[in-house]
Amino acid sequence: MDKQTISRDGTPIAYERTGKGPAVVLVSGAMSTGATVAPLAARLSDRFSVIVYDRRGRGASGDTAPYAVDREVEDLAALIEAAGGEASLYGVSSGGALVLRAAASGLPVRQVAVYEVPFADYGEGGAEERAEYTRNLSEVLAAGRRGDAVELFLRLTGLAEAVIATARQSPMWADMEAIAHTLAYDDAVMGDGLVPRERLASVTVPVLAVAGDASPPWLRRAAEAIAQAAPRGTHRTLEGQTHMVDPEVLAPVLAEFFDR
């Protein structure tokens, strides 16, 4: 990251800006940095001025205790100001929940697009399972057991135990442990995990919710629910795509939406 802006609470937020045109800020999800969305930025920078950044507590950005979701909204406010005072927002996974909250807060946002925000309408036992994850995550992070926190998250995503055990032996594990404390941040961003219909009803700008047809059906239902709750919401389903969406497939969809 070659640039830096200072958030309201004094936290330095590192970012990069590429391309020319209307500003678009890309927001990564859990266990990721700005580098995760950089390939998407590269495919949008011929039509937009694209900002990618390290969310607080990750990469080259700073961190200030105590954490609150509102501080991350203020980080986006600082980035939008650096971009010229207005921007469109894109967020993937829990980063999508963050940009929806930012739009509802009244930031100067033109449009909002999200990809597979993991909201769920919990059936019997589902809400308790999520609450248990929050409790266990808080416990292991308080004890400094970052590796166990990463395991909890990977298990929540549905990875098999054998895959998690293999991942723990991989070179990337140390990088995951380095930002494991931010799992609590994403957990807070997701709230109770349900679609925040009341909040979305206050978002007055266009909202595009996207999901892949190769992802679990509940993620597609979440995208539809977001679009239904936002007054100017629409949704798209991308053929053959999973939660790890191909930037080559997603970029044209976002460009068409942000060009409106």
Side-chain angles (χ1 to χ4, degrees):
M1 299 290 170
D2 59 357
K3 293 181 173 61
Q4 186 181 90
T5 188
I6 304 300
S7 193
R8 184 177 179 178
D9 69 348
T11 303
I13 303 298
Y15 71 97
E16 290 180 352
R17 186 173 185 175
T18 56
K20 293 182 179 180
V24 177
V25 181
L26 307 184
V27 183
S28 62
M31 296 305 295
S32 62
T33 65
T36 308
V37 290
L40 178 60
R43 289 159 178 82
L44 292 172
S45 60
D46 60 335
R47 297 165 70 174
F48 305 96
S49 177
V50 187
I51 289 177
V52 300
Y53 75 107
D54 290 335
R55 289 171 58 188
R56 61 173 53 211
R58 317 172 195 214
S61 289
D63 203 4
T64 303
Y67 175 82
V69 178
D70 286 348
R71 303 293 81 75
E72 288 217 70
V73 173
E74 290 167 1
D75 298 345
L76 279 170
L79 289 162
I80 292 171
E81 181 64 28
E86 185 182 58
S88 295
L89 303 179
Y90 164 77
V92 57
S93 197
S94 53
L98 177 58
V99 301
L100 291 169
R101 184 183 288 258
S105 76
L107 294 190
V109 173
R110 289 191 306 272
Q111 301 122 319
V112 176
V114 298
Y115 187 83
E116 293 196 352
V117 186
F119 293 131
D121 289 322
Y122 293 117
E124 185 176 348
E128 175 53 35
E129 182 181 353
R130 172 162 177 76
E132 183 180 7
Y133 167 77
T134 299
R135 290 193 298 270
N136 291 339
L137 181 64
S138 298
E139 178 182 323
V140 297
L141 287 176
R145 293 156 49 195
R146 289 178 172 241
D148 290 345
V150 176
E151 279 198 14
L152 279 172
F153 173 72
L154 296 180
R155 200 169 288 121
L156 182 70
T157 67
L159 285 186
E161 294 299 323
V163 176
I164 294 173
T166 299
R168 191 149 197 165
Q169 302 305 314
S170 72
M172 62 184 252
W173 192 261
D175 292 336
M176 296 172 75
E177 284 195 356
I179 60 173
H181 62 292
T182 65
L183 287 170
Y185 302 177
D186 284 279
D187 190 52
V189 165
M190 290 300 300
D192 62 7
L194 300 173
V195 176
R197 289 180 171 84
E198 184 174 345
R199 181 181 299 130
L200 289 170
S202 71
V203 177
T204 59
V205 300
V207 172
L208 173 65
V210 188
D213 73 354
S215 288
W218 66 271
L219 283 170
R220 295 195 296 277
R221 290 196 297 269
E224 293 170 5
I226 290 168
Q228 290 166 2
R232 301 172 67 186
T234 56
H235 70 88
R236 287 279 302 271
T237 301
L238 302 184
E239 184 177 352
Q241 296 304 301
T242 67
H243 200 59
M244 304 298 289
V245 62
D246 184 347
E248 292 281 1
V249 175
L250 179 61
V253 175
L254 295 182
E256 178 186 9
F257 175 67
F258 290 141
D259 258 342
R260 295 175 185 171

